[in-house]
Amino acid sequence: MTEDPLFLLLLLGSGLAIVCAVLLWKLLVLTGGIAAVQWAMVTGFADQPLIQAAVFAVPALLAAAALLYLPRAAGRSTRTHLRRSTTSFNPRRRARRNRWEATA
């Protein structure tokens, strides 16, 4: 019994489409929530510029931190972390370790 390759391709495509739709929906809900909170804070504290600056700065700093640090953390594995911690790229530290190993 052989499966139709077109059916499998359609099944895979529909699964990817559903995943993309869910991710876009989550992004839309998150940005809508941030925008609603910003709008409420700006209209509620119209005479306090420090609160307004904080309302716009906090989400921007969180987004910048996520864009800068999350991709690095996602690419880091325990194997590369262990390898990086056992080998030193600092020439002074490497020379000290080599001298210590030579005297031992």
Side-chain angles (χ1 to χ4, degrees):
M1 188 166 89
T2 61
E3 293 287 329
D4 186 20
L6 184 61
F7 176 72
L8 292 175
L9 188 62
L10 287 174
L11 190 62
L12 179 66
S14 64
L16 288 174
I18 289 173
V19 167
C20 289
V22 167
L23 290 175
L24 285 175
W25 176 253
K26 288 182 178 184
L27 182 66
L28 179 68
V29 168
L30 177 69
T31 55
I34 291 172
V37 169
Q38 285 179 342
W39 176 79
M41 294 295 282
V42 167
T43 55
F45 297 101
D47 55 343
Q48 296 181 358
L50 185 62
I51 292 177
Q52 289 182 356
V55 164
F56 289 114
V58 169
L61 289 173
L62 291 175
L67 289 174
L68 287 175
Y69 296 115
L70 286 182
R72 268 190 245 156
R76 191 178 297 152
S77 69
T78 57
R79 186 177 55 213
T80 58
H81 180 67
L82 289 175
R83 186 176 58 219
R84 200 172 332 129
S85 65
T86 57
T87 61
S88 174
F89 294 108
N90 185 349
R92 287 188 207 151
R93 186 178 298 157
R94 189 180 314 138
R96 232 179 315 165
R97 188 184 66 213
N98 290 342
R99 268 186 267 133
W100 181 80
E101 289 174 353
T103 59

